[in-house]
Amino acid sequence: MHKTYDTEVAKRFTIYNSLFLDLPFDDIYRTGTLLPILGSACQKGFQSGLTPKAIIKGFFDEMMAGNTETEQNNLLFKMIQYVERQVVLFDSIEDAAYEKINDLSGKGSIKALINRADNDHKREMLIEKLKNFSVRLTLTAHPTQFYPGSVLGIITDLENAIRTDDIGQINQLLKQLGKTGFINREKPSPYEEAVSLIWYLENVFYQSISDITIRLLSTLEIPLHTWENPGLLKIGFWPGGDRDGNPFVTHDTTVKVAERLQKWILRCYYRDLRRLKRRLTFKNVEDKVLHIERAIFSTLFEDQAVYTSKDQLLNDLFEVRESLIQYHNGMFLDLLDQFILKVKIFGFHFAYMDARQDSRKHDSLWEEIFAIKGIEWASTEEDQIKQILGIDSLPELTEIQDEFHREMLQTFGVISQVQTSNGEEALHRYIISNCQSRKHLLEVYKLAKLTVGEGKDLLPLDIVPLFETIDDLAEAPEIMTSLYNLPEYRAHLASRGNKQTIMLGFSDGTKDGGYLQANWSILRAKEELTRVSRENDIEVVFFDGRGGPPARGGGNMHNFYASLGEKVENSEIQVTIQGQTISANYGKQASCTYNFEQLLSAGLENHLYSDSENNLNPEQRALIEELASEAYESYKDFKSHPKFVPYLEHVTPLKYFGMTNIGSRPLKRGKGGGLKFEDLRAIPFVGSWAQMKQNIPGFYGVGTAIEKLEKEGRLDEVKALYQNSLFFRTLLGNSMQSLNKCFYPATSYLKDNESYGPFWEIMFQEYNKSIEKLKIVSDMDELMGDNQVSKRSIAIRERIVLPLITIQQYAIQTMLETGKSSELLEKLILRSMFGIINAARNAA
């Protein structure tokens, strides 16, 4: 496959890249001609041990000796813009070749899964599992996508032109790209973030989810109109509902986003219905279809809500179906059934919104509620819980002094409003970030009972704890057991089908405990939570907060979900996706279908096939525990280094993430000027290491852990574990990806820095150690030797942005050495960030 990659991607990039030189822009030929010279100077310079400052100065001395400093700096900015557009071109070429460089019918596809099930006489078992299985991808508002919407549109058109080798159109689009800005002038509002993600719902997910479901049911010979699990594939949606640390999300935002979601799904239905109407032109049918079309039109464009629920629309569609069978022998029934299935899948909600808030905010709200009611907090958590559950009414909004607390209560107030307009499925979960006790969960439960549940027999809301840190993951099983044994909460679960969703956060887990320990802690937590839930006759559903890069739980998701084993409940797969992961893995029809099928297949295979490779035996578990513990101690020592936080704050581009205007969220939780590690959000934390090409959260401690066992003469045990455990192999494989995206020569100048030299050396030693040990354990001559396509893609992308990496480090080095910042140097750092992160596609 990597030979196909070279032909379809690498060589095409070389050819199309030359088109930039002919674009009619000022100095573009000069910029495009000098850029490869700078790229070559960077490669040779770093190989020779030169610093970024020396490389840039040497380039200026050789190529621009007669130019002013202003002219030299202007060229650097033009090169940054040029490289940004090279990255876009490369993205488009790679996307255009997607079907050729990925086996869409191979392992992990629906076709392969059904063939395997048929060969093993497990078709009936597969069909039975499909009746209650679900995959839910949740699009988050986390801002790691640097392309504005206008550029995303060009990428789509460019991809289509590349597919047909339309040089003229490619040339025109590159001209457009040259004139189109890559930077938002202002931060987007939470509503604008939602609108940008709804584009993917309308243009990609609506088609892909329908296509996969229809193909799956048709291949299994299941009539579409009888299918009773329309939620097999779902899209979750956090923009407009995720309040965790984002003070700009309000209850009004939630309502506006819900309204937008409903309008846009009705737009999809309206378009489909107009196409369907061209076929259903028969007596006793045409008039009914026309009525439905007019009703949707009135709802959409005339503010006359003829349809107020999906059931009303479905009732009318089933009338059409009966007439089609009764009078016309079911002509075009397949087209109607496909449309009915879409309405069942997407309803009037389109996507499933979630509300989310930090537990500390709820603590603060309850403190004010108790103060208003004149109640003094009890001294023990047990008594505090009794106090909370004993409250039978909330103060009036006018009595609440804190504006944020009023907003929190109004948030609960609009949940019922959204459920009434879009259906209960539109917003039926409340997620508690930083959940550390059962009190945190019961605080939200009681608030919901007194707001969403007011006047109702049952509370139509699921309360979802999010466990994030290593300690919280360890405490989670005991917390949930005590909740299952609490009569009032147990009754609530019974009303929700005895199902409890629990979210587990990779991002903050990795930030807190390092790569190996976080992943191992999450697996153990899932196993224990599965055990205690089964013991209490509760079906637990795990919702994974996973980001794009391995440091945030990303990487190969198919292998991750296929490797969990029988001790982990897998009735559903739920996972967050964000930023470049959305556009790279789900941004186009082909890639969305492929990756969705991979997830669906992984979950189903885990049920159908009890593979010994997926079930860790006691010896393997003990070995992973030992490795994770060693890695954890190593990471803890590193994290407690006195230079750890100062390095992030004063050396890396951390603070510049707040200046990029890519998202509405603040850089960190909490208020105050000083940087506290615990308040730091995972995206800028991971992103800063990625900008420095050091990727600490994706590998640190792995090399030390393996070395420890090697010194004990147990290296063969680790190698056997790698060969026999898909879970461990996936962990190390994802870590290899992080290491492959490192480039320590770019920051090697820091080893001579008085303040940060020893700190840099610690990182560099662990980096080298991890590469060496991973090659030995995997028995490969090079990292990712078993995944040449991804390795090649990473190599080309890193080569494209090497000048940007050098320019950024040139600015950082200059500021560190002079002890002064300047507007020019800060702008160079900031402007370099966009291309570096876009090229990585899953860097934060």
Side-chain angles (χ1 to χ4, degrees):
M1 196 66 80
H2 69 278
K3 291 181 180 177
T4 303
Y5 185 88
D6 284 341
T7 303
E8 296 293 333
V9 178
K11 285 185 171 59
R12 279 183 181 230
F13 177 68
T14 301
I15 295 167
Y16 292 142
N17 190 35
S18 63
L19 294 175
F20 279 115
L21 296 176
D22 290 329
L23 294 181
F25 302 126
D26 293 340
D27 290 334
I28 191 141
Y29 185 81
R30 183 165 178 259
T31 305
T33 304
L34 290 175
L35 183 59
I37 296 172
L38 175 60
S40 179
C42 294
Q43 285 181 311
K44 292 176 181 175
F46 286 127
Q47 286 171 2
S48 303
L50 295 181
T51 69
K53 194 174 172 183
I55 291 169
I56 298 295
K57 186 176 185 305
F59 171 76
F60 284 152
D61 289 345
E62 183 179 351
M63 306 304 302
M64 300 184 70
N67 295 81
T68 65
E69 186 177 339
T70 299
E71 289 171 329
Q72 291 174 348
N73 288 323
N74 284 342
L75 179 68
L76 293 182
F77 283 112
K78 285 181 179 177
M79 285 181 167
I80 290 170
Q81 292 175 321
Y82 196 104
V83 171
E84 284 175 337
R85 284 149 181 83
Q86 285 182 313
V87 172
V88 169
L89 176 61
F90 189 76
D91 282 346
S92 302
I93 292 170
E94 206 168 61
D95 289 342
Y98 198 89
E99 295 93 329
K100 295 176 182 176
I101 60 178
N102 292 280
D103 187 357
L104 303 191
S105 299
K107 183 184 177 185
S109 69
I110 292 300
K111 182 179 179 181
L113 174 67
I114 293 174
N115 286 341
R116 184 182 179 189
D118 283 346
N119 289 336
D120 297 335
H121 308 292
K122 291 190 174 186
R123 175 177 280 224
E124 289 305 314
M125 189 176 175
L126 171 61
I127 291 172
E128 201 56 37
K129 180 62 177 175
L130 284 169
K131 290 178 181 177
N132 54 32
F133 189 65
S134 174
V135 175
R136 177 169 174 160
L137 286 177
T138 295
L139 311 185
T140 78
H142 294 165
T144 57
Q145 175 54 268
F146 280 83
Y147 293 136
S150 55
V151 175
L152 287 172
I154 297 171
I155 292 174
T156 299
D157 295 338
L158 194 54
E159 177 199 335
N160 293 332
I162 290 166
R163 285 178 183 273
T164 57
D165 285 318
D166 188 341
I167 297 292
Q169 179 70 357
I170 293 168
N171 200 48
Q172 284 294 109
L173 290 166
L174 291 180
K175 285 181 185 178
Q176 183 185 357
L177 206 59
K179 290 280 189 182
T180 303
F182 273 44
I183 302 173
N184 294 317
R185 294 185 184 277
E186 297 177 354
K187 286 180 180 288
S189 68
Y191 178 71
E192 289 167 338
E193 289 176 332
V195 168
S196 67
L197 286 184
I198 289 173
W199 184 93
Y200 291 101
L201 293 178
E202 179 187 15
N203 294 287
V204 183
F205 288 106
Y206 179 72
Q207 290 84 0
S208 283
I209 288 176
S210 307
D211 170 62
I212 295 169
T213 308
I214 290 166
R215 276 192 294 110
L216 178 63
L217 298 178
S218 300
T219 306
L220 293 171
E221 299 175 338
I222 300 171
L224 300 189
H225 72 283
T226 66
W227 185 241
E228 295 182 357
N229 183 18
L232 179 65
L233 302 175
K234 304 176 183 176
I235 296 297
F237 203 76
W238 272 12
D242 178 11
R243 290 156 172 75
D244 176 23
N246 188 342
F248 308 114
V249 175
T250 67
H251 66 285
D252 288 330
T253 311
T254 303
V255 173
K256 281 178 64 180
V257 172
E259 288 173 349
R260 178 86 174 199
L261 284 166
Q262 185 182 96
K263 277 200 169 185
W264 255 243
I265 189 57
L266 289 177
R267 276 171 40 139
C268 292
Y269 293 160
Y270 185 68
R271 282 198 293 264
D272 275 4
L273 200 59
R274 287 177 65 83
R275 283 192 288 266
L276 187 62
K277 192 179 73 169
R278 294 169 65 180
R279 296 291 166 267
L280 304 184
T281 54
F282 323 129
K283 186 180 178 182
N284 297 316
V285 170
E286 187 176 30
D287 58 331
K288 291 182 173 66
V289 175
L290 186 60
H291 163 74
I292 297 171
E293 182 199 4
R294 285 175 176 166
I296 292 180
F297 182 90
S298 297
T299 305
L300 260 179
F301 303 113
E302 297 175 344
D303 288 329
Q304 297 176 19
V306 179
Y307 289 127
T308 57
S309 73
K310 72 172 181 181
D311 290 334
Q312 293 172 324
L313 174 56
L314 285 170
N315 287 339
D316 284 354
L317 287 170
F318 277 115
E319 273 191 39
V320 176
R321 192 176 194 280
E322 288 172 14
S323 297
L324 209 54
I325 295 169
Q326 183 178 349
Y327 299 110
H328 305 287
N329 203 29
M331 184 177 283
F332 296 124
L333 189 62
D334 57 332
L335 298 180
L336 178 61
D337 280 347
Q338 289 176 16
F339 181 63
I340 289 173
L341 183 63
K342 288 180 182 178
V343 177
K344 286 183 176 180
I345 291 170
F346 297 105
F348 270 31
H349 60 281
F350 209 165
Y352 297 74
M353 295 180 72
D354 287 329
R356 183 170 79 124
Q357 185 53 277
D358 190 289
S359 63
R360 289 166 289 193
K361 306 294 185 186
H362 305 128
D363 286 341
S364 178
L365 172 58
W366 275 103
E367 284 175 13
E368 183 170 1
I369 291 170
F370 273 34
I372 291 170
K373 288 181 173 289
I375 301 172
E376 189 173 332
W377 271 111
S379 57
T380 67
E381 182 182 90
E382 194 69 34
D383 289 336
Q384 288 174 359
I385 288 171
K386 289 177 183 176
Q387 287 178 312
I388 291 166
L389 294 179
I391 296 292
D392 57 9
S393 67
L394 294 173
E396 295 294 325
L397 276 178
T398 53
E399 297 180 72
I400 302 289
Q401 297 300 307
D402 189 292
E403 185 179 346
F404 193 81
H405 293 165
R406 284 199 303 274
E407 171 56 43
M408 288 174 71
L409 288 175
Q410 287 172 300
T411 294
F412 280 96
V414 299
I415 291 174
S416 292
Q417 184 180 335
V418 171
Q419 290 186 347
T420 300
S421 61
N422 292 24
E424 186 183 311
E425 59 262 74
L427 177 49
H428 66 91
R429 303 197 307 195
Y430 194 109
I431 299 167
I432 307 158
S433 300
N434 193 40
C435 189
Q436 297 180 322
S437 68
R438 64 174 184 157
K439 186 186 86 165
H440 284 155
L441 204 139
L442 292 170
E443 283 176 337
V444 172
Y445 165 73
K446 192 62 180 183
L447 288 170
K449 282 282 286 184
L450 297 173
T451 51
V452 184
E454 188 178 18
K456 300 171 186 173
D457 293 333
L458 304 173
L459 173 62
L461 191 71
D462 296 318
I463 315 299
V464 180
L466 166 51
F467 300 109
E468 300 178 82
T469 68
I470 302 301
D471 289 343
D472 293 344
L473 289 165
E475 296 289 331
E478 186 179 334
I479 291 170
M480 295 314 300
T481 299
S482 66
L483 281 165
Y484 295 155
N485 291 323
L486 190 69
E488 185 169 343
Y489 190 75
R490 183 60 188 249
H492 166 65
L493 285 180
S495 75
R496 304 297 289 170
N498 282 318
K499 182 182 284 190
Q500 172 69 57
T501 301
I502 298 173
M503 189 172 180
L504 302 166
F506 278 77
S507 303
D508 286 288
T510 309
K511 191 184 90 172
D512 179 50
Y515 180 72
L516 276 184
Q517 182 66 39
N519 280 277
W520 179 236
S521 294
I522 287 169
L523 178 64
R524 284 189 311 174
K526 281 186 173 183
E527 291 176 340
E528 279 300 293
L529 286 165
T530 297
R531 180 183 63 78
V532 299
S533 298
R534 286 173 177 171
E535 286 174 357
N536 286 277
D537 296 320
I538 300 296
E539 180 186 353
V540 67
V541 174
F542 294 115
F543 178 20
D544 293 315
R546 295 162 64 84
R552 302 194 64 229
N556 190 319
M557 282 205 186
H558 175 273
N559 283 349
F560 170 81
Y561 281 109
S563 71
L564 295 180
E566 294 174 333
K567 291 185 177 181
V568 175
E569 194 70 71
N570 79 325
S571 58
E572 297 185 24
I573 285 177
Q574 297 193 15
V575 61
T576 56
I577 54 171
Q578 61 210 32
Q580 301 97 320
T581 311
I582 297 174
S583 56
N585 292 354
Y586 299 92
K588 304 292 186 301
Q589 204 74 50
S591 59
C592 180
T593 299
Y594 175 78
N595 286 296
F596 232 138
E597 286 191 19
Q598 291 282 316
L599 277 178
L600 181 60
S601 175
L604 294 169
E605 282 181 351
N606 211 347
H607 175 76
L608 295 175
Y609 298 95
S610 179
D611 195 327
S612 60
E613 203 182 29
N614 302 347
N615 294 308
L616 296 166
N617 63 41
E619 292 76 18
Q620 291 174 323
R621 299 176 72 82
L623 189 55
I624 296 175
E625 175 73 48
E626 202 170 337
L627 286 163
S629 180
E630 288 295 336
Y632 184 34
E633 291 304 315
S634 174
Y635 178 72
K636 274 203 304 187
D637 287 346
F638 181 63
K639 193 175 68 169
S640 62
H641 193 287
K643 292 298 181 184
F644 188 90
V645 172
Y647 181 84
L648 279 169
E649 188 169 14
H650 302 300
V651 180
T652 77
L654 174 71
K655 65 181 177 183
Y656 298 96
F657 274 85
M659 306 177 190
T660 53
N661 287 345
I662 55 168
S664 65
R665 302 197 331 160
L667 186 68
K668 60 187 180 71
R669 294 178 175 91
K671 297 178 181 178
L675 179 66
K676 293 180 182 177
F677 178 77
E678 59 270 21
D679 288 338
L680 190 58
R681 289 189 175 278
I683 286 173
F685 175 73
V686 173
S688 298
W689 294 113
Q691 288 286 316
M692 298 294 287
K693 289 295 158 187
Q694 293 167 336
N695 289 339
I696 289 299
F699 75 85
Y700 198 92
V702 172
T704 293
I706 296 172
E707 182 185 61
K708 171 76 162 38
L709 269 73
E710 182 182 25
K711 286 178 179 177
E712 295 174 4
R714 300 166 61 196
L715 188 60
D716 285 344
E717 291 180 43
V718 185
K719 293 177 80 169
L721 180 65
Y722 181 86
Q723 292 299 325
N724 299 323
S725 166
L726 180 59
F727 172 76
F728 188 65
R729 197 160 60 246
T730 301
L731 271 193
L732 296 197
N734 287 341
S735 207
M736 289 182 200
Q737 185 189 122
S738 289
L739 287 161
N740 250 19
K741 291 182 178 180
C742 291
F743 188 64
Y744 274 78
T747 57
S748 63
Y749 66 89
L750 287 167
K751 68 177 181 288
D752 299 320
N753 184 281
E754 188 176 332
S755 293
Y756 299 107
F759 183 73
W760 185 89
E761 288 285 2
I762 293 170
M763 281 188 274
F764 188 53
Q765 287 171 14
E766 185 64 27
Y767 162 74
N768 285 325
K769 192 184 297 180
S770 296
I771 291 176
E772 177 196 346
K773 301 309 175 190
L774 283 174
K775 286 197 291 189
I776 293 171
V777 167
S778 65
D779 201 22
M780 289 191 282
D781 296 329
E782 56 181 9
L783 296 184
M784 296 180 70
D786 57 346
N787 191 349
Q788 288 294 331
V789 169
S790 292
K791 185 178 176 68
R792 188 90 172 93
S793 175
I794 291 170
I796 295 173
R797 289 174 178 278
E798 294 300 312
R799 190 171 69 238
I800 292 170
V801 295
L802 183 59
L804 266 59
I805 295 165
T806 310
I807 290 168
Q808 187 182 78
Q809 289 301 323
Y810 154 73
I812 291 173
Q813 182 185 0
T814 303
M815 286 167 59
L816 283 172
E817 289 180 357
T818 61
K820 299 176 186 174
S821 63
S822 72
E823 187 178 343
L824 170 73
L825 294 172
E826 289 193 340
K827 191 176 177 184
L828 282 173
I829 294 170
L830 183 64
R831 287 296 286 111
S832 300
M833 289 174 68
F834 294 80
I836 293 170
I837 204 164
N838 282 337
R841 276 202 158 180
N842 68 350

